Amino acid sequence: MKAVGSRLLQLIVLLGTISTTLFLLLRLSGDPAILLAGEGASPETIDAIRADYGFDKSLLQQYLMFIWDIARLDFGRSLVNSQPALGFVLQYLPSTLHLTFLAVFFNSIIAIPAGVWLGAKPTQRRRKVLSTIVSVAQGTPAYVIGLLLIQIFSVWLGWLPSIAGTGTWAWVLPTATLSFALAPNLIRVVAASVEDTTRQDYYRTAKANGAAPNVLLIKHSLPNALLSTTSLLGAQFAFLLSGALITEYIFAWPGLGLILVQSITNLDFPTIQATVFVVAYLVFIVNLIMDQVFRLADPRLRRSQL
Amino acid sequence: MINTATNAIEIKNLVVSFPTPAGYSAVVRGINLTINPGDRVAIVGESGSGKTMMGLSMLGIQPTAAKVEGEILIGDVNMVTAADAVARKLRGNYISMVFQEPLTSLNPVRTISSQLSESVRRHNSISKKEAEARVLAVLTAVGIPAPKERMKSYPHQLSGGLRQRVMIALALINKPQLVVADEPTTALDATIQAQILDLLRSGMGDAALMLITHDLAVAADVCNRIVVMYAGNIVEQGPVAEILSNPKHPYTRGLLSAIPKFDQARPALNPIPGAPPTISEVVPGCRFASRCSYADAQCTASEPEFINNIACFHPVTGAVK
Amino acid sequence: MSQDSKDLVTPITRRKMFKSKNKSLATLRISASILAALFIIAIFQPFFYTVDPAASDLTLRLQSPSLDGALLGTDALGQDVYSRVIAGFRWSLGIGTVGTLLGCLIGITLGVSAAWNRKRLRIVLSRVIDIGISFPYLIIAVTIVTVVGRGFWPLALTLGLVCWPTIARIVYAETLTLREREYVTAARLFGIGSIRSIFTHILPALRPTIQVVAAFTFAELLIAESGLSFLGLGAPLGTPTWGNMLNESRLYMESAPWMMFGPVTAIIVTIFTANLLGEGLNAREHSRSTRVSQ
Ligand SMILES: Nc1ncnc2c1ncn2[C@@H]1O[C@H](COP(=O)(O)OP(=O)(O)OP(=O)(O)O)[C@@H](O)[C@H]1O
Ligand code: SF4
Ligand SMILES: [Mg+2]
């Protein structure tokens, strides 16, 4: 369980850094009570907040209080609807996870076969296909893709809804947007891993024993290539959460990304902090799961049997 | 399907070349070699002389960049021109290969038995159970202790010596006519090397062996015929006793005098001074001339033909001191 | 021997090799020129305006593109889309440049320090880099921007402050290899101090790698910056930036779809060029190192 410990330490360091930074920035950029109260708040509200948050105390005292609250996962109440911030944010978690899993699923069933196709026989033409896909996708931000998809499929063709919750097919365009952003990288990595296996000694051994091309691919390349791709999936997840920010905003998908954008627009600090913490925790959990999957899938990392 | 009456393999005028900025350059330069059933042939030569490329192209598994010309005849199949589907039926079945690095040469994520039985079932239509019995039998035959338990192991769980035994088992499992072993002991400890050489000497059944090695002592120990390669050519070949007692080619003599002698307190290593020509270098005469103390004008003017088991204008006689 | 040496060398392939090398050099030149042109637009933008990008004429709202009127149409306030796209260059390229410089500064410092030290500092720093890489930095960026406020400098510095992990990791890996190379070892033997040998040996040798990384980071920051503006979290509302313009255009996707065209093209062209530059630099570096090893 050393891996869990080290990931946990990472999480704590990350959260500590983020909250300390926020704490300092908030104090450095003027009167935090005014910021927290939001625009147009009455002087009474501001005073109340000042007392409530202890802004009249010393900086160190404030910091310790702040950390203590956070350590108990008490982020305060949302300034918009007075719900406890964490609970409020967590309501939106399932929706983000839903979108994320859809994206991972469709991305995998499209990008992995494509990557295998490119990597299994890296001819000049296939390389060209690959580099074209990658450079087009790298040069196109997710929101441009989202807007184009809406323009084409919702506005012009009228086939698909562009707003979340407006029909059975509302998930299609957000999923497609995220997949577009994610797929090229996955294709590239899968292709590179598959191609790499064909240069390995065990691949040559299998060939020396008469394995046919499809056997070589399925029984010798793929298990090894997919194994090395697994380590990428954790990073992809972090990327998806970034992408969710924009995708959820465009499609009004009620998830963490949308909540974050809204609470930033409203300067709702407790909610912002709670969201960032939830995202960090998600990344932590996913990395932890990926570590374990990797461990189980690779016999070299399992405890030796003899 | 295959006519094996006469010989295990017959190589005619084999040329293997790679693309370089200056065009295709040959690393195997027109080799002729016949291996008879049950033969034990050692291929010796310095690093880069083309031994591995010759071995790989005998199975038709040379790197994709390589261009292979000439004939490699197994029965009536020419491995150079045969369709992949035909060549595949021979690989691992009629001719098989043992590689230098047993760790990387086995698939790290699959068990020993799954890799061995995959090969058995590819070439024989037998049930899974029968295949596993075959695997167990061959693992026992190559001297793996507790073979039943080892079958379930992954390659990284075995020692280097055991892994090489597994590789040999994989090469032998379909009872091939010819096994090509490419420096099978180089990556192993000295004591383990001796065990593996024992296995190669006495555990190969009816299969002919082509043993690629740097080491004349190993060649003499395991084989009955020695083929000496230099810079892509065969320069001399003959029975072990003949080559050891009466080497005719200056290069062979150089190799022999480089072997440490047991009766000397310190091994007197006499590596041949100089280096072979690079693969893209065009040499008009004998490719060994720049390092040969017998070289004369004829040697640098034209290339000696391989006649009477030797390619040299001035064969030497007498034992090496 | 059966074959003459000459038969064994068949001439071809040379032309092919030259072709691929020239192609990557051409990529480099073309992308560098385009990027330079874009920077010129950014610096001398008033020369490229047709009208003042801030001037709004409500009688000319949502005009479609035409050659004698607004080149790329007008937006909901009757502002000229073309001139606003031009104005966006200064904003985007400026933020990209500042952010990349700051990110490289932090990334190189951390990466080199981590690789140079063999003790605890290395463990701590490489952990820090790992953590930084695993977390979606855009989310940190938006949070910081909320506190420090919108605007050019807040956005540029924030992006620079959060984008270093990838740079640091690449620099770290490269420095590790470099420090094992002989000349650095030799320099140490002759008693050149750590700091000096970093500046005289490591940093110059890192330059090609850093150029490549910087080009890709620049592209990435353009995406991030325009994304934040698009979300309404980057540029002050109403500022002529590509992200803002796209966000405004969302309301008129049916009635004025051309509003998207200008900013989308500008964004894609700029990002694409920066990526191409990165690839070109990478290819040049690659062909150099293979030439040396031959
Ligand atoms: N993929 C390749 N592309 C170009 N040249 C190659 C390639 N593989 C091998 N060579 C060249 O072919 C020549 C012969 O290589 P080969 O591996 O057959 O030598 P060897 O006799 O087996 O040497 P060693 O004892 O080191 O294994 C070498 O000069 C090598 O550089
Ligand atoms: S042909 Fe001449 S150069 Fe070549 S090995 Fe014989 S004596 Fe030496
Ligand atoms: Mg070899």
Side-chain angles (χ1 to χ4, degrees):
Chain A
M1 290 294 97
K2 212 174 137 228
V4 180
S6 100
R7 286 281 186 202
L8 197 62
L9 189 69
Q10 282 187 16
L11 176 72
I12 292 170
V13 171
L14 176 69
L15 293 181
T17 316
I18 295 178
S19 31
T20 307
T21 315
L22 281 182
F23 175 84
L24 289 176
L25 285 174
L26 206 55
R27 263 72 184 172
L28 286 178
S29 58
D31 188 344
I34 296 177
L35 257 180
L36 282 181
E39 274 164 67
S42 66
E44 296 87 65
T45 326
I46 296 178
D47 283 340
I49 286 180
R50 187 169 292 140
D52 199 20
Y53 280 77
F55 290 142
D56 39 7
K57 303 214 174 65
S58 81
L59 207 61
L60 182 69
Q61 268 178 319
Q62 287 184 36
Y63 183 66
L64 292 178
M65 270 172 59
F66 172 79
I67 293 294
W68 171 238
D69 281 344
I70 282 178
R72 289 178 304 152
L73 296 180
D74 177 3
F75 298 95
R77 286 174 179 275
S78 160
L79 301 181
V80 173
N81 58 16
S82 315
Q83 284 188 37
L86 184 63
F88 175 60
V89 169
L90 286 177
Q91 290 168 14
Y92 292 89
L93 178 61
S95 175
T96 289
L97 288 182
H98 179 205
L99 187 55
T100 308
F101 282 120
L102 282 175
V104 168
F105 176 73
F106 282 99
N107 197 30
S108 305
I109 60 172
I110 294 165
I112 292 180
V116 170
W117 178 76
L118 286 163
K121 211 170 145 214
T123 57
Q124 209 67 7
R125 215 190 64 202
R126 291 189 186 188
R127 271 181 215 282
K128 205 158 247 168
V129 173
L130 179 64
S131 67
T132 311
I133 293 177
V134 170
S135 45
V136 166
Q138 266 185 344
T140 320
Y143 57 89
V144 170
I145 294 168
L147 288 182
L148 289 180
L149 288 177
I150 292 179
Q151 185 78 55
I152 296 170
F153 292 99
S154 304
V155 178
W156 287 342
L157 299 173
W159 289 351
L160 290 166
S162 66
I163 306 286
T166 53
T168 346
W169 300 104
W171 56 272
V172 176
L173 289 184
T175 306
T177 305
L178 276 179
S179 303
F180 256 113
L182 211 56
N185 201 19
L186 190 57
I187 294 178
R188 195 167 49 87
V189 172
V190 171
S193 318
V194 170
E195 194 183 335
D196 183 59
T197 59
T198 63
R199 285 189 291 262
Q200 298 296 319
D201 287 349
Y202 57 76
Y203 189 87
R204 189 179 60 182
T205 305
K207 228 167 138 182
N209 282 295
N214 59 340
V215 176
L216 285 170
L217 181 64
I218 293 167
K219 289 197 158 177
H220 295 275
S221 281
L222 284 190
N224 287 286
L226 294 183
L227 199 60
S228 51
T229 311
T230 318
S231 52
L232 177 79
L233 288 181
Q236 290 233 312
F237 186 77
F239 183 84
L240 270 173
L241 291 176
S242 271
L245 210 61
I246 281 170
T247 317
E248 291 182 2
Y249 174 72
I250 297 179
F251 296 98
W253 187 272
L256 294 179
L258 192 62
I259 279 304
L260 188 58
V261 175
Q262 277 174 3
S263 52
I264 287 173
T265 315
N266 300 329
L267 291 176
D268 182 354
F269 277 97
T271 311
I272 296 175
Q273 254 187 11
T275 316
V276 173
F277 269 61
V278 170
V279 169
Y281 189 70
L282 270 183
V283 171
F284 159 73
I285 291 288
V286 167
N287 278 325
L288 208 61
I289 294 174
M290 281 301 141
D291 284 351
Q292 296 311 314
V293 169
F294 200 59
R295 228 160 257 274
L296 285 178
D298 189 340
R300 283 162 296 187
L301 297 179
R302 273 181 237 152
R303 209 184 289 156
S304 71
Q305 296 168 352
L306 287 177
Chain B
M1 177 181 72
I2 303 152
N3 163 25
T4 57
T6 47
N7 45 43
I9 200 163
E10 190 178 357
I11 301 174
K12 289 184 185 164
N13 206 359
L14 176 68
V15 177
V16 181
S17 36
F18 284 102
T20 68
Y24 273 98
S25 293
V27 298
V28 172
R29 316 178 72 256
I31 276 183
N32 293 289
L33 180 69
T34 301
I35 297 177
N36 295 315
D39 241 4
R40 285 150 184 284
V41 181
I43 310 286
V44 294
E46 280 170 317
S47 200
S49 52
K51 308 181 294 291
T52 298
M53 284 311 135
M54 176 170 92
L56 292 176
S57 42
M58 285 161 68
L59 282 87
I61 55 169
Q62 66 282 351
T64 39
K67 187 171 82 177
V68 179
E69 292 151 300
E71 284 174 71
I72 297 171
L73 297 172
I74 295 178
D76 43 20
V77 178
N78 180 357
M79 292 298 275
V80 177
T81 53
D84 189 52
V86 176
R88 271 203 317 261
K89 291 217 170 72
L90 302 182
R91 276 180 220 139
N93 190 18
Y94 184 89
I95 176 171
S96 60
M97 190 153 175
V98 178
F99 297 99
Q100 185 173 337
E101 285 289 344
L103 177 58
T104 56
S105 296
L106 290 163
N107 195 329
V109 301
R110 295 182 49 200
T111 60
I112 303 298
S113 91
S114 86
Q115 299 186 49
L116 284 158
S117 55
E118 180 192 317
S119 182
V120 179
R121 298 191 66 197
R122 175 176 306 132
H123 297 291
N124 307 277
S125 38
I126 58 176
S127 73
K128 220 169 171 165
K129 240 182 156 166
E130 289 169 301
E132 281 184 358
R134 274 280 273 283
V135 172
L136 187 62
V138 72
L139 287 179
T140 314
V142 297
I144 288 179
K148 232 185 185 128
E149 286 81 77
R150 297 296 151 90
M151 280 171 68
K152 295 187 219 83
S153 305
Y154 289 90
H156 73 279
Q157 295 169 324
L158 304 181
S159 68
L162 285 188
R163 283 197 284 261
Q164 196 57 298
R165 284 181 196 268
V166 171
M167 279 303 288
I168 293 174
L170 183 58
L172 290 177
I173 196 159
N174 288 313
K175 300 197 174 19
Q177 296 289 313
L178 173 63
V179 175
V180 177
D182 188 1
E183 303 188 32
T185 59
T186 312
L188 306 175
D189 300 342
T191 47
I192 310 292
Q193 279 191 14
Q195 294 172 12
I196 297 294
L197 290 176
D198 268 347
L199 178 61
L200 290 176
R201 195 185 308 110
S202 46
M204 305 297 288
D206 302 328
L209 173 69
M210 182 175 119
L211 176 68
I212 295 174
T213 172
H214 282 154
D215 191 341
L216 266 176
V218 165
D221 186 22
V222 176
C223 299
N224 49 31
R225 182 152 67 106
I226 293 181
V227 171
V228 182
M229 277 183 76
Y230 182 76
N233 295 118
I234 294 181
V235 292
E236 182 169 13
Q237 70 154 329
V240 169
E242 177 90 19
I243 296 280
L244 291 186
S245 61
N246 187 16
K248 297 196 193 66
H249 196 281
Y251 177 65
T252 317
R253 298 176 76 86
L255 282 182
L256 269 172
S257 62
I259 299 180
K261 307 238 170 19
F262 292 114
D263 50 359
Q264 281 168 340
R266 245 190 209 175
L269 280 168
N270 298 325
I272 310 160
T278 61
I279 61 165
S280 47
E281 209 168 315
V282 177
V283 180
C286 172
R287 291 177 79 76
F288 188 56
S290 63
R291 303 166 76 185
C292 179
S293 48
Y294 302 87
D296 61 9
Q298 185 186 15
C299 302
T300 48
S302 57
E303 204 169 353
E305 298 260 339
F306 188 73
I307 301 167
N308 291 332
N309 291 334
I310 185 165
C312 176
F313 294 121
H314 312 293
V316 194
T317 46
V320 181
K321 268 139 257 140
Chain C
M1 251 151 267
S2 34
Q3 289 213 15
D4 191 280
S5 335
K6 270 189 230 111
D7 293 343
L8 301 175
V9 180
T10 36
I12 28 162
T13 65
R14 186 167 215 163
R15 224 177 46 219
K16 225 176 176 177
M17 292 200 170
F18 269 118
K19 227 166 110 190
S20 77
K21 205 178 123 203
N22 284 342
K23 216 167 119 193
S24 79
L25 271 184
T27 309
L28 190 57
R29 282 203 197 107
I30 293 173
S31 56
S33 323
I34 299 180
L35 209 58
L38 298 182
F39 267 96
I40 288 175
I41 295 179
I43 294 168
F44 302 104
Q45 56 187 18
F47 293 107
F48 297 90
Y49 294 155
T50 49
V51 296
D52 178 1
S56 85
D57 181 348
L58 291 179
T59 60
L60 295 175
R61 294 180 72 227
L62 303 177
Q63 303 256 307
S64 55
S66 70
L67 276 179
D68 34 85
L71 214 53
L72 295 173
T74 62
D75 65 11
L77 296 174
Q79 295 168 315
D80 180 51
V81 172
Y82 163 79
S83 297
R84 290 177 75 78
V85 167
I86 294 293
F89 274 105
R90 184 176 283 180
W91 176 274
S92 286
L93 297 186
I95 288 182
T97 309
V98 173
T100 305
L101 289 178
L102 181 58
C104 283
L105 190 69
I106 303 175
I108 294 169
T109 310
L110 291 181
V112 171
S113 317
W116 198 254
N117 187 283
R118 284 182 194 269
K119 305 195 193 93
R120 198 166 293 164
L121 185 65
R122 165 185 293 187
I123 301 174
V124 173
L125 286 183
S126 55
R127 265 296 136 78
V128 168
I129 295 172
D130 278 351
I131 295 174
I133 281 189
S134 71
F135 196 78
Y137 72 76
L138 211 55
I139 288 187
I140 303 185
V142 294
T143 316
I144 297 181
V145 169
T146 323
V147 183
V148 298
R150 294 169 187 160
F152 182 92
W153 287 104
L155 197 53
L157 296 179
T158 303
L159 286 177
L161 211 59
V162 294
C163 74
W164 53 265
T166 327
I167 306 174
R169 178 144 84 184
I170 294 170
V171 168
Y172 171 70
E174 183 76 11
T175 311
L176 273 188
T177 10
L178 281 176
R179 69 167 289 162
E180 299 312 324
R181 274 217 208 136
E182 272 168 274
Y183 63 94
V184 180
T185 324
R188 276 223 226 104
L189 284 181
F190 290 115
I192 297 182
S194 275
I195 300 293
R196 242 186 86 199
S197 74
I198 285 178
F199 276 95
T200 53
H201 295 293
I202 296 288
L203 289 183
L206 278 177
R207 207 181 71 188
T209 310
I210 293 173
Q211 284 174 339
V212 175
V213 181
F216 285 130
T217 305
F218 183 74
E220 208 178 307
L221 290 192
L222 289 178
I223 294 184
E225 177 274 315
S226 54
L228 290 187
S229 292
F230 177 76
L231 295 176
L233 308 178
L237 300 178
T239 320
T241 73
W242 302 333
N244 269 352
M245 295 172 73
L246 270 182
N247 197 16
E248 289 156 15
S249 76
R250 288 173 63 213
L251 295 174
Y252 307 95
M253 290 185 82
E254 269 170 90
S255 53
W258 63 83
M259 270 174 71
M260 278 166 54
F261 179 77
V264 162
T265 314
I267 290 172
I268 291 184
V269 166
T270 315
I271 294 169
F272 196 79
T273 313
N275 277 326
L276 211 61
L277 181 70
E279 275 158 32
L281 288 167
N282 200 12
R284 184 181 72 178
E285 201 28 45
H286 230 75
S287 74
R288 244 190 221 153
S289 52
T290 48
R291 209 164 55 227
V292 169
S293 71
Q294 265 172 8

